[in-house]
Amino acid sequence: MENHLLIGLGGTGGRVLAAFRKLMYERFNGEVKPKDLWLDYLYVPVGGINLVHT
């Protein structure tokens, strides 16, 4: 069994995760993920956070 964690950062990352989940759903006939694959998602909103300290 393989383990995977997909991380999406910000608005674009969230859209990529949503598109990937849709692709997995379509490819595996209505299941979000195949039974022999450990797959999870993490979305981190970063809007409004100052990532650079001066």
Side-chain angles (χ1 to χ4, degrees), residues 12-37:
T12 301
R15 287 188 292 277
V16 169
L17 288 179
F20 184 81
R21 285 178 57 97
K22 180 180 178 185
L23 177 67
M24 294 292 285
Y25 184 84
E26 291 171 351
R27 179 159 298 177
F28 294 103
N29 300 320
E31 294 185 30
V32 176
K33 59 184 175 182
K35 303 230 184 301
D36 61 341
L37 177 68

